[in-house]
């Protein structure tokens, strides 16, 4: 696997309510440099909690998370904000774009927060917009573009600061089938061309088949993992078989 971008050791997460609920129960996981891993599992299995813990959104109850050998949960608020902007990129199902800003302003937001010089910002904007094929959208407002275009813009914003780890939570959940294919081909291109490690939660076997490895979480534990070979159709069938064994079809996950 080479060097690990992400190391997760004995990760646990409990929610204290009337009855204590353990969402994660001792997960161990490593993500290598430039590896693309999808996370799947039944509804309530803990896969989103797992992603939220890695992304520093949800503090674990126990265990350790290291991203590039640093534990983000030991940082103060200012250090954590800088760490997120430097190391992590985020892509969500709902795009999370600022509708009052243009496409260009949305994409540049992470660099603006870091006060990058204007010439460097513009060069990175040019590179990422060409790479993602959205040069003609830069002056448009968010409400003027389609769902697939919005996700391209969200991806551009997530990678413009050249993160080492891209985190995606159901990134195709609001897209039609053509846009799904386009977006996943972009993820593959980012993974290959930009040497970016990707960790993606999805319920969709087709989307998951773009990854190089899939981990399955059940009842808060790492249940199984499968690796993609040269035959993507065969990999897709392995995904379907594993999901069927877990007891849920695509629409139940």
């Amino acid at each position: 696997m080479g060097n690990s971008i992400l190391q997760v050791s004995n990760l646990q997460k409990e929610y204290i309510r009337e009855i204590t609920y353990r969402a994660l129960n001792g997960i161990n996981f490593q993500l290598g440099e430039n590896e693309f891993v999808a996370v799947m599992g039944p509804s309530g299995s803990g896969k989103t909690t797992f992603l939220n813990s890695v992304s520093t959104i949800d503090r674990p109850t126990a265990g350790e998370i290291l991203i590039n050998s640093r534990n983000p949960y030991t940082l103060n608020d200012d250090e954590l904000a800088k760490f997120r902007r430097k190391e992590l990129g985020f892509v969500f199902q709902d795009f999370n774009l600022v509708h009052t800003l243009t496409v260009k302003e949305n994409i540049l937001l992470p660099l603006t927060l870091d006060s990058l010089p204007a010439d460097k910002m513009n060069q990175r904007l040019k590179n990422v917009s060409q790479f993602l094929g959205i040069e003609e959208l830069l002056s448009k407002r968010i409400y003027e573009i389609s769902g697939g275009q919005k996700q391209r813009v969200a991806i551009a914003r997530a990678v413009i600061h050249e993160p080492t780890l891209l985190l995606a939570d159901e990134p195709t959940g609001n897209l039609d089938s053509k846009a799904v294919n386009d977006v996943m081909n972009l993820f593959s291109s980012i993974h290959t061309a930009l040497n970016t490690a990707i960790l993606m939660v999805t319920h969709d076997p087709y989307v998951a088949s773009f990854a190089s490895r899939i981990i399955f979480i059940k009842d808060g534990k790492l249940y199984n993992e499968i690796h993609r070979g040269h035959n993507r159709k065969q990999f897709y069938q392995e995904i379907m078989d594993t999901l069927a064994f877990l007891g849920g079809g695509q629409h139940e996950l």
Side-chain angles (χ1 to χ4, degrees):
M1 184 184 294
N3 295 328
S4 293
I5 292 294
L6 170 66
Q7 292 178 293
V8 177
S9 304
N10 193 32
L11 187 66
Q12 299 179 44
K13 177 63 182 179
E14 291 182 349
Y15 293 100
I16 309 298
R17 297 167 184 161
E18 291 182 9
I19 299 174
T20 298
Y21 171 63
R22 180 168 287 184
L24 298 176
N25 190 11
I27 288 182
N28 296 293
F29 170 75
Q30 290 190 11
L31 182 72
E33 286 182 335
N34 195 29
E35 193 180 14
F36 185 176
V37 172
V39 184
M40 303 191 80
S43 178
S45 62
K47 57 187 184 296
T48 297
T49 303
F50 174 67
L51 189 73
N52 287 346
S53 297
V54 171
S55 66
T56 72
I57 291 172
D58 204 354
R59 179 179 287 272
T61 305
E64 185 177 60
I65 294 171
L66 298 178
I67 300 171
N68 278 332
S69 301
R70 295 183 72 191
N71 184 341
Y73 289 102
T74 63
L75 306 176
N76 64 37
D77 289 346
D78 287 343
E79 290 170 337
L80 181 57
K82 290 177 183 177
F83 178 84
R84 283 174 174 159
R85 293 200 299 270
K86 181 176 184 293
E87 302 289 355
L88 305 177
F90 302 91
V91 180
F92 302 96
Q93 177 177 342
D94 296 325
F95 316 130
N96 284 5
L97 298 170
V98 183
H99 285 257
T100 55
L101 302 180
T102 64
V103 166
K104 175 183 177 179
E105 289 166 341
N106 267 279
I107 296 171
L108 287 176
L109 210 50
L111 303 186
T112 304
L113 292 170
D114 277 337
S115 303
L116 207 69
D119 57 338
K120 287 188 177 181
M121 289 173 62
N122 289 326
Q123 186 58 53
R124 286 202 191 179
L125 177 68
K126 179 181 178 182
N127 292 343
V128 77
S129 60
Q130 286 179 347
F131 182 74
L132 297 175
I134 54 174
E135 306 102 306
E136 296 178 2
L137 303 179
L138 294 178
S139 61
K140 292 183 179 292
R141 300 280 175 179
I142 299 304
Y143 61 81
E144 297 178 299
I145 62 179
S146 70
Q149 290 171 331
K150 287 176 184 176
Q151 196 57 296
R152 282 175 178 256
V153 173
I155 292 168
R157 183 188 57 188
V159 300
I160 193 168
H161 61 296
E162 301 171 356
T164 53
L165 176 58
L166 181 62
L167 302 166
D169 188 7
E170 300 284 4
T172 61
N174 281 335
L175 305 178
D176 60 36
S177 56
K178 182 187 181 302
V180 166
N181 202 57
D182 289 346
V183 165
M184 291 316 301
N185 281 319
L186 284 176
F187 269 91
S188 293
S189 298
I190 289 166
H191 169 235
T192 304
L194 303 184
N195 296 318
T196 302
I198 301 174
L199 184 65
M200 172 184 72
V201 165
T202 182
H203 71 279
D204 189 328
Y206 174 74
V207 170
S209 72
F210 282 81
S212 53
R213 176 164 61 114
I214 300 174
I215 63 169
F216 296 87
I217 295 177
K218 182 180 181 181
D219 299 327
K221 297 180 180 179
L222 189 58
Y223 172 79
N224 192 15
E225 70 173 54
I226 58 176
H227 295 254
R228 175 179 168 181
H230 297 295
N231 189 326
R232 191 163 144 233
K233 285 186 178 179
Q234 183 178 334
F235 187 48
Y236 175 82
Q237 190 57 53
E238 285 186 60
I239 299 168
M240 295 296 289
D241 292 345
T242 305
L243 293 176
F245 194 76
L246 276 168
Q250 175 178 347
H251 298 295
E252 296 173 317
L253 296 175

